């Protein structure tokens, strides 16, 4: 699991069938690298989240047929982001 900050929603009108109806979010790690994750939680830009990656990401979506390897597992309610290693 990793910690990211949500940057924005990613809008894709044409997708492969394994990503139909999945909300996508752009995430930034502590070093500034951007990644895209599926979002079964309903996060907002600015939220700090933890993610589930690898094949476990599909199970975190509730359906192993969804084509993802990075899924938001939850919103972090209380965390000192200044303590994050860079």
């Amino acid at each position: 699991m990793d910690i990211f900050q949500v940057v924005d929603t990613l809008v894709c009108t044409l997708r492969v069938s394994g990503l139909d109806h999945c909300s996508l979010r752009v995430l930034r790690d502590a070093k500034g690298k951007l990644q895209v994750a599926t979002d079964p939680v309903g996060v907002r830009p600015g939220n700090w989240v933890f993610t589930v990656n690898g094949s476990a990401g599909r199970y975190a979506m509730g359906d192993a047929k969804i084509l993802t390897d990075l899924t938001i597992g939850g919103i972090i309610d209380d965390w000192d982001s200044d303590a994050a290693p860079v």
Side-chain angles (χ1 to χ4, degrees):
M1 289 189 224
D2 295 301
I3 294 175
F4 291 92
Q5 187 169 30
V6 180
V7 175
D8 208 348
T9 298
L10 183 66
V11 178
C12 298
T13 54
L14 297 174
R15 305 177 189 204
V16 296
S17 61
L19 286 173
D20 286 345
H21 309 296
C22 293
S23 296
L24 302 174
R25 303 290 182 254
V26 178
L27 308 179
R28 180 184 305 117
D29 69 11
K31 295 180 182 178
K33 182 179 177 186
L34 298 178
Q35 296 203 35
V36 175
T38 53
D39 177 16
V41 178
V43 300
R44 298 180 191 166
N47 285 143
W48 286 95
V49 298
F50 72 91
T51 59
V52 180
N53 51 11
S55 60
R58 292 191 294 267
Y59 292 100
M61 282 296 293
D63 182 352
K65 295 178 184 175
I66 294 176
L67 302 176
T68 184
D69 66 351
L70 188 63
T71 299
I72 295 169
I75 299 170
I76 299 171
D77 295 319
D78 187 22
W79 180 65
D80 183 7
S81 61
D82 294 330
V86 177

